[in-house]
């Protein structure tokens, strides 16, 4: 791999809200600082994402010292402070049972009004202890925020180009080309060959090393236009034809940090194993 580098960095302060692009980000053991520390839950405690509510693609959250600022079409912006961990509520996220700290009543009302559904905004106060990574793919003590399952997700521009070429040759060519934000990555790498990431086991991005834990199997969220919340058939139709691996429709790789540090756009990316 020649001259591969980090093209862009993205965090999602509230899970399922629009991505926030950064020039640099601190790597914590459970993911990028500020990534998916907040989540919406329904009245049964289950996590609400774009799977159930594609309109969440139109909501945004800005990171603030000690909180977030929410914005969405038709809603006045709202600043939400990190709640004090005086008590927790149960959160069910893809089969995991996690404790979270509920935000204030104003945040619940704002989010519920935007979705026209009864939801609550919850904060993960201490990701070091709240949620272990799936032990089948983790070392003892590794934890994760409210991300789907792993601390970070990496994708490559070459693989997106290859996927878009396949989409253009298929039944739903009019839906392409798709932008990278459909896949909601944390890190986007340029300068590789298509699908090179399938063979990665360990990589270094600048000063930080990562273990490649598992290929990323994709879901209906990838069919959601991240600007409008509308849905189509791609990329799942094409991934199903060309990228069905071990029972999943694969695009991208899940990462676990091996070391702390700061990532910056333009950092060199090196395959270690």
């Amino acid at each position: 791999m020649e001259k591969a580098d980090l093209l862009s960095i993205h965090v999602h302060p509230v899970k399922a809200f629009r991505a926030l692009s950064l020039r640099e980000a601190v790597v914590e053991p459970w993911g990028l600082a500020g990534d998916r520390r907040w989540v919406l839950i329904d009245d049964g405690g289950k996590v609400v994402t774009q799977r159930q509510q594609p309109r969440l693609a139109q909501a945004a959250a800005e990171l603030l010292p000690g909180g977030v600022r929410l914005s969405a079409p038709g809603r006045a912006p709202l600043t939400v402070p990190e709640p004090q961990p005086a008590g927790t509520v149960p959160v069910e996220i893809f089969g995991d049972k996690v404790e979270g700290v509920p935000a204030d009543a104003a945040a619940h009302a704002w989010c519920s009004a935007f979705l026209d559904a009864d939801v609550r905004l919850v904060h993960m106060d201490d990701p070091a202890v709240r949620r272990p990574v799936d032990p089948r793919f983790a070392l003892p003590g590794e934890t994760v925020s409210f991300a789907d399952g792993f601390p970070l997700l990496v994708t490559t521009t070459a693989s997106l180009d290859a996927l878009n070429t396949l989409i253009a040759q298929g039944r739903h060519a009019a839906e392409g080309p798709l932008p990278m934000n459909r896949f909601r990555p944390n890190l986007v790498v340029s300068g590789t060959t298509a699908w090179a990431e399938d063979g990665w086991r360990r990589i270094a991005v600048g000063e930080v090393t990562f273990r490649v834990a598992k290929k990323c199997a994709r879901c209906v969220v990838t069919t959601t236009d991240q600007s409008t919340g509308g849905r189509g058939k791609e990329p799942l139709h094409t991934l199903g034809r060309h990228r069905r691996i071990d029972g999943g429709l694969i695009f991208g790789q899940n990462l676990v940090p091996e070391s702390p540090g700061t990532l910056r756009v333009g950092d060199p990316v090196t395959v270690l194993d």
Side-chain angles (χ1 to χ4, degrees):
M1 183 170 67
E2 297 183 0
K3 296 182 180 178
D5 57 30
L6 183 57
L7 179 69
S8 59
I9 302 170
H10 311 274
V11 297
H12 311 78
V14 179
K15 182 179 180 66
F17 281 31
R18 181 177 300 168
L20 179 66
S21 297
L22 304 176
R23 296 295 300 174
E24 63 179 53
V26 173
V27 178
E28 299 173 333
W30 40 84
L32 297 181
D35 189 51
R36 296 175 170 101
R37 291 285 297 277
W38 301 79
V39 72
L40 296 177
I41 59 173
D42 64 17
D43 55 7
K46 291 186 178 181
V47 164
V48 177
T49 74
Q50 289 184 32
R51 292 166 176 83
Q52 304 83 22
Q53 291 279 2
R55 192 180 181 197
L56 286 172
Q58 295 182 289
E62 177 188 354
L63 289 169
L64 301 175
V68 289
R69 183 174 184 264
L70 309 181
S71 59
R75 306 293 305 165
L78 179 71
T79 297
V80 182
E82 288 183 10
Q84 296 300 311
T88 62
V89 295
V91 176
E92 182 179 338
I93 176 167
F94 306 124
D96 293 342
K97 304 291 186 179
V98 185
E99 294 297 313
V101 183
D104 57 28
H108 304 328
W110 191 97
C111 295
S112 296
F114 173 62
L115 292 180
D116 193 24
D118 185 14
V119 294
R120 304 179 75 188
L121 183 64
V122 177
H123 182 251
M124 184 179 285
D125 59 327
D126 189 357
V129 300
R130 289 297 186 195
R131 185 184 176 210
V133 176
D134 186 334
R136 294 175 296 170
F137 307 99
L139 301 178
E142 290 179 338
T143 61
V144 61
S145 65
F146 286 127
D148 279 8
F150 294 88
L152 290 95
L153 171 66
V154 62
T155 59
T156 69
T157 56
S159 294
L160 180 63
D161 290 345
L163 177 61
N164 277 324
T165 296
L166 293 171
I167 290 172
Q169 297 167 353
R171 291 172 53 191
H172 308 287
E175 292 189 24
L178 301 182
M180 188 65 86
N181 65 11
R182 289 290 189 96
F183 301 93
R184 300 179 64 79
N186 295 112
L187 308 179
V188 179
V189 174
S190 62
T192 73
T193 57
W195 317 119
E197 64 273 21
D198 287 352
W200 297 351
R201 296 294 175 264
R202 291 179 66 243
I203 63 172
V205 183
E207 63 188 27
V208 186
T209 61
F210 298 91
R211 187 177 80 253
V212 183
K214 182 180 180 292
K215 295 179 176 65
C216 187
R218 309 317 302 223
C219 71
V220 70
V221 171
T222 59
T223 68
T224 308
D225 186 312
Q226 295 296 298
S227 298
T228 67
R231 283 211 169 128
K233 299 292 186 182
E234 296 293 0
L236 292 186
H237 176 79
T238 297
L239 290 175
R241 294 185 62 202
H242 299 280
R243 292 286 297 168
R244 190 180 296 273
I245 303 172
D246 298 331
L249 309 185
I250 301 302
F251 190 90
Q253 297 284 336
N254 291 297
L255 305 179
V256 178
E258 292 185 332
S259 63
T262 299
L263 302 180
R264 298 171 179 86
V265 170
D267 278 348
V269 177
T270 306
V271 177
L272 303 176
D273 185 14

